[in-house]
Amino acid sequence: MLVIGIESSAHTFGVGIVDNGRMLANEKMMYDVGSRGMIPAKVAETHVKNASTVIKMALDKAGVTMKEIEGVGYTKGPGIGACLQIGQLSAKTIANALGVGIVPVNHAVAHVEITKHESGLKDPIALYVSGGNSQILKMADSPFKHYQILGETFDVGIGNMLDAFAREIRLKPAWGSTVAKLAEKGSYVPMPYTVKGMDFAFTGLLTYASSLAGKKSNEDLCYSIQETSFSMLCEATERALLLTNSDELEVCGGVAQSTRLQEMLRCVCKEHGFQFGAARNEYNADNGGMIAYVAERMLKDDRGEPLGRCDIQQRYRIDKAIVV
Ligand code: FE2
């Protein structure tokens, strides 16, 4: 089944095309966050400008025409409302014009599922880490097949926390990778560490690290905030693995691109003889390919929705989404 998937939950407008699980195209254009951060109306405006170009790029890359498309998927949420609407509208327009099935997809499910597919793991605990989300997840079968949230952030997502700190010490974008680069030359300064069972919180750490700006070197602060926050994730994830008798771990989402985080998680797994997996970075970053991948499976399972019910939901939690 030839399916097109559209992702637009934040700064990326991504379009993927799959055919029976085979990724034919995964194209994107992004809003330039610059020093302003994400202004929803401006990001949505950029998505409107880029939408048709990215769709054409994906069709060309896949070597198919629009008329051949047999199904459509789009990100329903979670994400920024104004941005989600552009992907939703693009998807509904395509589905309506072609008279094919359409399905709304949960963005977090797509990250977890594409990583499972890429890594070959069967039933992993998933550490989902991005700008707005930080969750520890496990597949559950009752009352429907879904991802149960074992642990999550009490306040901000780890990516947004690292970005906020980078702005605090006046680093230039891309903030997260600049923090990672400076961290390579830093030494450890003790920082607040907040893990409660399998949950964690980052704002105390952010406030403390920010209060040291100008008093300690940026290298030391970047190293310390990164090591502390990643250690918190590792502790909570290790607990989740042990309490659920799991022996596989995947990390997914934008922050999964961090080589240091992957190294630390791999170390946890090695200690216990567990399998560790991550996707290629093009699937850790936001992308349309993962939406197409999940949409095809959902459409084949008859999970398509009538056009009138194809809505968006800014706070669409992963445990509310049926997984097929
Ligand atoms: Fe994402």
Side-chain angles (χ1 to χ4, degrees), residues 9 107 111 128 130 253-254 284-286 290:
S9 62
H107 180 91
H111 269 302
Y128 170 42
S130 65
N284 285 325
D286 286 349
M290 66 181 188

Side-chain angles (χ1 to χ4, degrees), residues 217-295:
S217 74
N218 282 352
E219 285 81 359
D220 286 356
L221 292 177
C222 288
Y223 177 70
S224 306
I225 197 169
Q226 193 178 265
E227 289 296 299
T228 307
S229 56
F230 288 178
S231 298
M232 285 159 53
L233 293 173
C234 284
E235 183 192 328
T237 305
E238 183 178 26
R239 187 164 294 125
L241 281 158
L242 295 173
L243 284 175
T244 57
N245 284 323
S246 302
D247 57 5
E248 294 179 331
L249 171 68
E250 68 157 70
V251 62
C252 62
V255 181
Q257 295 174 86
S258 163
T259 49
R260 179 60 184 147
L261 178 59
Q262 287 203 17
E263 185 187 7
M264 289 168 80
L265 292 167
R266 200 171 275 119
C267 189
V268 168
C269 287
K270 200 173 163 200
E271 187 99 353
H272 297 285
F274 298 159
Q275 293 286 319
F276 173 77
R280 285 170 284 171
N281 276 344
E282 72 171 295
Y283 298 111
N284 285 325
D286 286 349
N287 66 95
M290 66 181 188
I291 304 299
Y293 172 73
V294 172

Side-chain angles (χ1 to χ4, degrees), residues 272-321:
H272 297 285
F274 298 159
Q275 293 286 319
F276 173 77
R280 285 170 284 171
N281 276 344
E282 72 171 295
Y283 298 111
N284 285 325
D286 286 349
N287 66 95
M290 66 181 188
I291 304 299
Y293 172 73
V294 172
E296 185 190 21
R297 282 169 38 187
M298 291 179 80
L299 287 166
K300 283 181 172 172
D301 196 54
D302 234 0
R303 296 268 169 199
E305 293 280 359
L307 279 172
R309 287 185 56 188
C310 285
D311 56 351
I312 57 159
Q313 205 178 315
Q314 291 191 75
R315 294 178 185 275
Y316 184 20
R317 298 218 359 127
I318 192 169
D319 52 357
K320 300 286 178 273

